[in-house]
Amino acid sequence: MPRKGENIYKRKDGRWEGRYIRDRTSDGKAIYGYLYAHSYRELKERMAHEEKAPKPVCRTPDVLFEEVAKEWLLYITPRVKESTCVKYSNLLNSYIIPVLGNQSILSLSSNKIDTFCQHLLTKGGRNGTGLSSKTVSDCLARIRSIMRYASDKLELSLCDAKSVTVKQQQKEMRSFTVSEQKTLLRYLYDNLNESSLGILICLFTGLRIGEICALKWSEISIPEKTLHVRFTMQRIQILDGTDQKTKILISEPKSACSIRTIPLLDELTELLEKYKCSDTAYILSGREDQYVEPRTMQYRFKKVMQECGITNASYHTLRHTFATRCVEQDFDIKTLSEILGHANVNITLNKYVHPSMELKRKNMMRLSELIAVK
């Protein structure tokens, strides 16, 4: 039963359902929205937030794409992570709105959107030399989301841009050769400090740079020989127009699959035990009140590469090398996928795992018995 004066009901499945006025048509007719929660209090708070949210500007069919895009951004802001909102805002303001913003939402066809994507691929960016296929694909995804949102709000049949595609170019990932890895290990052991320790951890666990920067000693269990990944660190843009342009954000990873527990090698555990300090201290700084941000760690890694005489390597090369060595040792791909924090094994196979020539030769040699004539 609803409480007096409220459109809140308890469902048979135990959840609470609330109805609120999401918008109104041009003639004043209410358009309702529905929210669900596991408790009355949670639902009440969510409904209060929706009622205070900026009201839509979509009232007539003849509305500019920019108006809908900005409204869509307001709509999704409380529903996505802060870093995701910043990314969407940058894509809109840097690439999408400058070209499509002053066009009527009704005038956008699949052909126009496809032409726009081709323009970004060939002439987009600050230098006019074209954007990467990944960035253009992200722009297309945002346009589709905005068109779906507008279609729902305006109750019109709009272009969904499903026929528009951006061919993804698979970038070959760099991994260290066995010789390069040995050179790197010798340098790290001869110059052990918090940063060297962080590089070693990434080389033998596949952690991302944001994950190692956010890692604290409380997430490492020496007795159980495990490392637990719960947070990531990144520097993001501040959108509220303050004097400070960026800030460090430490938050849970975007994907739930990235929250994981990784078994540690005995040798690495012994090394970690020697350096272990306060549980609340960051691994890379050894202090509670100070962290090492990703771009600082990238700079330190670059210096290590110069000292080792290794070229054309980024910090992500550590993660790719870990995956490659695991494949060469016949790791179960499902296990490796979970250690890397991927949503499915296809990501592991397609994005990170590229067998070396040595591994290809080893597998080909298995056919040697078949070619012999007896």
Side-chain angles (χ1 to χ4, degrees):
M1 293 293 293
R3 301 197 180 188
K4 188 174 182 180
E6 300 179 340
N7 285 318
I8 298 180
Y9 300 83
K10 187 160 187 182
R11 296 161 51 96
K12 291 182 180 180
D13 61 6
R15 294 185 299 163
W16 290 83
E17 175 184 326
R19 187 180 75 165
Y20 67 99
I21 297 178
R22 185 185 64 188
D23 195 6
R24 290 187 181 275
T25 61
S26 57
D27 59 0
K29 183 179 178 181
I31 299 176
Y32 291 99
Y34 296 86
L35 294 172
Y36 303 90
H38 291 288
S39 70
Y40 170 83
R41 182 176 179 179
E42 179 188 355
L43 181 59
K44 186 71 174 175
E45 291 176 353
R46 291 184 60 189
M47 289 183 67
H49 176 79
E50 291 293 340
E51 289 169 357
K52 292 179 182 178
K55 298 305 178 184
V57 299
C58 296
R59 290 289 183 270
T60 64
D62 188 20
V63 62
L64 297 181
F65 179 83
E66 180 176 4
E67 293 181 81
V68 187
K70 291 182 176 179
E71 181 187 321
W72 168 81
L73 189 61
L74 286 173
Y75 173 77
I76 59 98
T77 294
R79 294 168 170 80
V80 298
K81 289 184 177 294
E82 185 178 0
S83 57
T84 302
C85 184
V86 170
K87 177 184 177 182
Y88 290 172
S89 178
N90 285 333
L91 288 174
L92 284 174
N93 295 323
S94 298
Y95 308 122
I96 302 175
I97 289 179
V99 179
L100 302 179
N102 62 353
Q103 298 190 37
S104 167
I105 195 79
L106 282 173
S107 71
L108 292 182
S109 62
S110 293
N111 185 51
K112 277 189 176 183
I113 296 173
D114 182 60
T115 300
F116 166 72
C117 290
Q118 296 306 314
H119 168 77
L120 291 183
L121 286 169
T122 56
K123 299 180 181 179
R126 292 181 180 178
N127 300 325
T129 56
L131 299 172
S132 70
S133 58
K134 174 64 169 61
T135 300
V136 178
S137 181
D138 288 343
C139 287
L140 176 59
R142 301 292 73 76
I143 292 172
R144 287 172 175 163
S145 296
I146 292 167
M147 298 299 281
R148 286 195 301 268
Y149 175 82
S151 180
D152 176 57
K153 290 291 183 181
L154 296 174
E155 299 182 354
L156 295 172
S157 178
L158 298 175
C159 164
D160 57 17
K162 287 184 178 180
S163 62
V164 182
T165 59
V166 177
K167 186 177 180 181
Q168 291 286 340
Q169 297 175 348
Q170 187 66 41
K171 185 178 179 181
E172 186 174 350
M173 303 294 291
R174 163 87 155 95
S175 65
F176 294 126
T177 65
V178 174
S179 175
E180 287 175 330
Q181 185 168 341
K182 289 180 178 179
T183 299
L184 174 58
L185 284 173
R186 281 194 295 267
Y187 178 87
L188 295 175
Y189 285 131
D190 290 341
N191 299 272
L192 272 176
N193 53 36
E194 283 85 359
S195 295
S196 298
L197 188 62
I199 294 173
L200 272 171
I201 292 173
C202 293
L203 186 59
F204 289 101
T205 62
L207 259 62
R208 303 175 178 94
I209 189 169
E211 294 169 341
I212 188 64
C213 288
L215 190 66
K216 291 188 175 183
W217 281 106
S218 57
E219 305 303 330
I220 291 180
S221 173
I222 300 299
E224 296 180 4
K225 300 178 182 179
T226 57
L227 181 155
H228 190 49
V229 180
R230 293 197 304 126
F231 298 102
T232 188
M233 180 189 297
Q234 57 186 317
R235 180 171 287 277
I236 66 169
Q237 182 181 353
I238 298 176
L239 299 176
D240 60 9
T242 60
D243 292 337
Q244 187 179 356
K245 295 183 179 180
T246 63
K247 68 177 182 180
I248 285 293
L249 178 66
I250 300 176
S251 62
E252 290 187 352
K254 183 177 180 180
S255 170
C257 299
S258 293
I259 300 175
R260 61 201 188 277
T261 300
I262 303 174
L264 297 174
L265 295 173
D266 292 345
E267 295 81 0
L268 184 57
T269 305
E270 293 173 4
L271 192 60
L272 288 169
E273 188 172 16
K274 295 178 182 179
Y275 275 82
K276 183 171 174 57
C277 54
S278 170
D279 279 349
T280 55
Y282 290 95
I283 295 284
L284 295 183
S285 68
R287 295 175 56 176
E288 303 176 12
D289 59 344
Q290 182 178 326
Y291 52 73
V292 176
E293 67 168 287
R295 64 182 180 184
T296 300
M297 195 60 185
Q298 287 172 339
Y299 173 77
R300 293 179 181 178
F301 178 77
K302 184 178 180 180
K303 296 290 288 184
V304 171
M305 292 297 97
Q306 291 174 349
E307 293 291 332
C308 292
I310 299 175
T311 59
N312 194 30
S314 67
Y315 200 93
H316 201 72
T317 303
L318 296 168
R319 178 172 167 84
H320 187 54
T321 299
F322 169 77
T324 302
R325 293 291 100 85
C326 288
V327 172
E328 290 172 353
Q329 296 299 319
D330 296 326
F331 257 58
D332 170 68
I333 298 301
K334 176 62 176 175
T335 299
L336 176 58
S337 179
E338 292 184 0
I339 290 175
L340 291 172
H342 290 159
N344 57 68
V345 295
N346 288 332
I347 297 175
T348 311
L349 290 169
N350 297 333
K351 189 172 184 180
Y352 291 101
V353 180
H354 304 282
S356 64
M357 181 55 68
E358 290 81 3
L359 182 60
K360 293 176 183 177
R361 190 179 304 280
K362 176 183 175 182
N363 287 330
M364 288 294 288
M365 290 303 294
R366 295 177 181 177
L367 302 177
S368 59
E369 293 183 1
L370 299 177
I371 200 172
V373 179
K374 294 182 180 179

